[in-house]
Amino acid sequence: MHEKTVDMLIVGGGLAGSLLAWQCIQQGKKIHLIFDPKTPSASKVAAGIINPVTGQRLVLQNNARTLLNTCKSYYQSLGAHFNTTFFFEKPMLRYLRNAKEAVAWEKRRANPDYDDYLEETDDPKVILQHHTGYLDTQALLCKLHHEFKHQGVLEHATMQCDEIDMYASHIRWRHITAQRIIFCEGWRGQNNPWFRYLPFQPAKGEILDLKTSSISPEYIINCGRWLLATHDGRLRLGATYDVQQPLNEWISPQAKDTLLADLKDMPISLEDIEVVQQQAGIRPNTLDKQPFLGFHPKHHALGIFNGFGSKGSMLIPYYAGVFIEHIQQQKLLPKSVDIQRFTCA
Ligand SMILES: Cc1cc2nc3c(=O)[nH]c(=O)nc-3n(C[C@H](O)[C@H](O)[C@H](O)COP(=O)(O)OP(=O)(O)OC[C@H]3O[C@@H](n4cnc5c(N)ncnc54)[C@H](O)[C@@H]3O)c2cc1C
C-alpha cells in the first residue's frame, strides 16, 4: 500500500461511514474509508424504513420536515448519480393495538403538527401514515462501495486502535496520514477505547424475508411488527428488539418463531408462507436516543459519527451535512447530538 495523506480517515462502511464519505468526496475532501466486509453490520440487515411518527405514543420525530426533505433529496440525487432508485415512497397502515395507542391517537389527531403525517381511515383502529417509505440500503451501499473502490479510497481492513499514532496536527494509521479520523463503527463503537464513555445501548434485531403465493400488501403494515413488500419482490417481516447482554449477531429460532407468530396476528392473510432468509444485526442505539457527533475532548483529531439507532436511513444524510459543516466551518453542533453532553472521565 502506498503512502497517502488525506483530510479524513473514516472507520466503518455502514450507512453512517459510507454516506459521510460520499458527502466529503462531493465537497472535494480527500478521504480514505476502511472496513471489513466480512464483519456483520446493522446496515446489511436494515429494512431501511423511514417513518417520522413512531412508538406506542405516536411521537413525531423532532425536526421531521427537515430530516425527511434532506434524506429524500439526498437519496434521489444518489439515485440519479447511479442511474437507479434507492428510495421508495410507500404509505403505512398503522394498526392501533391497545388503549394506550388509542389515547395517543386521540391526542395526535387534535394536534395540527400531525395533520401532514397521520390521517384517519374508515376503521377507527387504523391510521394512514404519510411521508413513509424505505431505502434499499443494501443496494445503495453496494453501489457506493463499488464507486469508492474504483476511486481508490476504500480499503478492506479492521482498525485496531493501538495502531493509531497521534501527533499534534494529525494521526497516522499504517500507510495513511490524516488530519482527522472519524469512527463510524456502529454498535462496536462501545468498545472503542476513546469513546466507550458514551452511553451506547445497542439493541439486537432479527428480520425475515418471506415468500408467499398471496398478493403482497401495497402499504407498509405496522402492528408493532411491520411487513414491507419491496420493489424487487421481497416481503420483509421485522423486527425483533432485544437489549439483553451479552449481544450476538446470530440468528435464533426463537426470533423466527416470535416473528411468525406475530405475523399470524396481523390483519392480513398470506397463503403458503415460506421463510427464505433470516438475518440478525445490532442497532447502534444510545441511552438518550440521540446520535453521537463530535470530537474527543482531549484528542481533537479523533471524531465520532455514530448512534443512529433504529433510524439511520432518515437521520444520517442530514447529520452528515451538519457534521461536515462543523468540521469545515466550525459551526456549532446541535446540543442534542453533540457528545459534549457527556463527561469523559
Ligand atoms: C433488524 C434491523 C432492522 C433495522 N431496520 C431499520 C429500518 O427499517 N430503518 C432504519 O432507518 N434503520 C433500521 N435499522 C437500523 C440501521 O441499521 C442503523 O441505523 C444503521 O444501519 C446504522 O449504520 P452504521 O453505519 O452506524 O452502523 P453499521 O451498519 O453497523 O456499520 C458499522 C460499520 O463499522 C465497521 N466497523 C466496526 N468496527 C470497525 C473497526 N474496528 N475497523 C473497521 N471497521 C469497523 C463495520 O464493519 C461496519 O461496516 C435496523 C437495524 C436492524 C438490526
Side-chain angles (χ1 to χ4, degrees), residues 24-326:
C24 286
I25 293 170
Q26 297 315 297
Q27 305 205 5
K29 294 278 146 201
K30 279 184 82 177
I31 62 116
H32 193 71
L33 173 70
I34 66 161
F35 71 98
D36 180 354
K38 290 191 210 93
T39 306
S41 82
S43 307
K44 282 184 193 163
V45 172
I49 293 175
I50 290 175
N51 174 13
V53 182
T54 53
Q56 288 206 40
R57 288 172 47 243
L58 299 170
V59 177
L60 177 61
Q61 169 74 39
N62 266 344
N63 208 11
R65 173 68 54 216
T66 306
L67 292 170
L68 287 169
N69 287 343
T70 308
C71 75
K72 282 183 198 173
S73 68
Y74 194 91
Y75 296 135
Q76 274 154 6
S77 79
L78 274 163
H81 179 88
F82 290 109
N83 200 19
T84 184
T85 305
F86 297 118
F87 173 70
F88 299 84
E89 303 258 8
K90 211 174 194 14
M92 177 182 280
L93 286 178
R94 169 76 194 245
Y95 290 78
L96 302 173
R97 288 171 298 158
N98 50 44
K100 193 173 169 187
E101 291 186 354
V103 169
W105 167 225
E106 280 313 309
K107 258 201 204 157
R108 301 314 181 203
R109 70 196 296 192
N111 181 344
D113 291 351
Y114 284 77
D115 284 357
D116 226 16
Y117 301 97
L118 304 182
E119 186 184 331
E120 62 186 327
T121 65
D122 294 342
D123 183 338
K125 286 192 171 162
V126 185
I127 308 168
L128 176 60
Q129 279 192 236
H130 300 286
H131 300 292
T132 53
Y134 68 96
L135 170 73
D136 189 345
T137 317
Q138 293 75 35
L140 172 58
L141 288 181
C142 181
K143 289 280 185 198
L144 283 174
H145 293 166
H146 190 267
E147 174 98 6
F148 294 151
K149 195 97 196 146
H150 179 71
Q151 293 185 15
V153 299
L154 170 61
E155 182 175 343
H156 288 157
T158 298
M159 163 78 63
Q160 307 295 340
C161 287
D162 58 7
E163 293 177 301
I164 299 171
D165 295 319
M166 285 189 274
Y167 302 92
S169 63
H170 64 275
I171 65 99
R172 199 166 156 78
W173 173 77
R174 298 188 189 171
H175 57 114
I176 303 288
T177 301
Q179 219 181 323
R180 296 181 179 85
I181 177 167
I182 311 293
F183 293 100
C184 311
E185 300 167 284
W187 75 279
R188 288 186 171 76
Q190 72 173 5
N191 303 322
N192 182 308
W194 295 290
F195 292 107
R196 64 175 156 229
Y197 71 93
L198 297 172
F200 282 90
Q201 196 179 58
K204 179 177 176 181
E206 295 191 49
I207 187 170
L208 301 179
D209 282 3
L210 307 174
K211 223 165 102 179
T212 172
S213 56
S214 308
I215 294 175
S216 291
E218 60 178 303
Y219 296 96
I220 303 172
I221 305 289
N222 184 343
C223 310
R225 306 282 181 216
W226 44 256
L227 192 64
L228 167 72
T230 62
H231 60 287
D232 52 1
R234 287 181 299 164
L235 185 59
R236 311 201 78 189
L237 170 66
T240 56
Y241 191 94
D242 186 0
V243 291
Q244 276 200 352
Q245 300 276 353
L247 290 160
N248 64 67
E249 288 159 305
W250 310 319
I251 56 168
S252 68
Q254 293 88 337
K256 182 177 170 184
D257 291 347
T258 304
L259 290 169
L260 289 175
D262 289 347
L263 177 65
K264 286 208 182 97
D265 290 339
M266 283 189 174
I268 176 164
S269 76
L270 299 172
E271 305 288 324
D272 312 318
I273 296 277
E274 194 187 318
V275 176
V276 288
Q277 182 172 229
Q278 180 175 1
Q279 290 173 293
I282 299 181
R283 306 169 181 91
N285 286 20
T286 68
L287 194 60
D288 67 358
K289 314 223 173 334
Q290 297 291 336
F292 294 150
L293 270 67
F295 286 86
H296 192 278
K298 296 187 187 113
H299 308 291
H300 304 305
L302 307 181
I304 185 163
F305 184 69
N306 201 337
F308 296 100
S310 310
K311 295 185 176 175
S313 39
M314 181 164 62
L315 302 182
I316 292 170
Y318 174 74
Y319 283 113
V322 166
F323 197 44
I324 292 172
E325 277 185 356
H326 172 66

